[in-house]
Amino acid sequence: HDRNIGGWRPESGEVPPSLPEQHWRALVEQTHASPHGPRPARARAPGAPIPRKRLVYACTKRGWREMEALLTAFAEHTRGLGDVPDDELPTLERILLADDLFLMALLTG
């Protein structure tokens, strides 16, 4: 295998992206490609409420333990996201849809 886990070749002069979210997403799509094509995203009707229970689950079930610990503490501190205003839930949902590597890069600068 001539590429590292990130999919780039350092010996050939390739430079990894600074925030590789798009690159990682493309690798995940290639790795988990379905013969039936990509699964459609579950669409939510505009203006429909975002279930807090689903967001709490997304906080507590992460791939990286560090992110899971951080987001679980956030969910517990906000009493199951009950303290998060309804108008901020779409932003939280968007954050939780990002992969852990991208979130860690945002947090650590």
Side-chain angles (χ1 to χ4, degrees):
H1 202 290
D2 64 342
R3 290 181 181 259
N4 65 11
I5 193 169
W8 53 278
R9 297 182 204 140
E11 67 278 353
S12 67
E14 289 183 23
V15 179
S18 59
L19 279 178
E21 181 185 16
Q22 294 295 334
H23 179 71
W24 282 95
R25 288 184 190 278
L27 287 175
V28 168
E29 288 171 5
Q30 290 170 6
T31 304
H32 301 291
S34 168
H36 307 292
R39 279 188 266 160
R42 290 190 326 186
R44 194 172 30 86
I50 299 171
R52 280 181 164 81
K53 185 176 181 179
R54 182 170 53 84
L55 296 179
V56 169
Y57 181 83
C59 285
T60 59
K61 305 299 179 198
R62 304 299 296 193
W64 288 12
R65 289 186 184 252
E66 296 86 354
M67 274 282 110
E68 186 175 317
L70 178 77
L71 293 172
T72 298
F74 173 74
E76 290 172 355
H77 182 74
T78 58
R79 296 180 301 149
L81 304 179
D83 293 343
V84 177
D86 290 341
D87 61 326
E88 292 182 12
L89 289 178
T91 303
L92 178 60
E93 180 182 41
R94 186 170 178 210
I95 290 169
L96 293 174
L97 287 174
D99 55 35
D100 292 338
L101 178 68
F102 181 73
L103 291 178
M104 191 61 76
L106 287 176
L107 291 172
T108 58

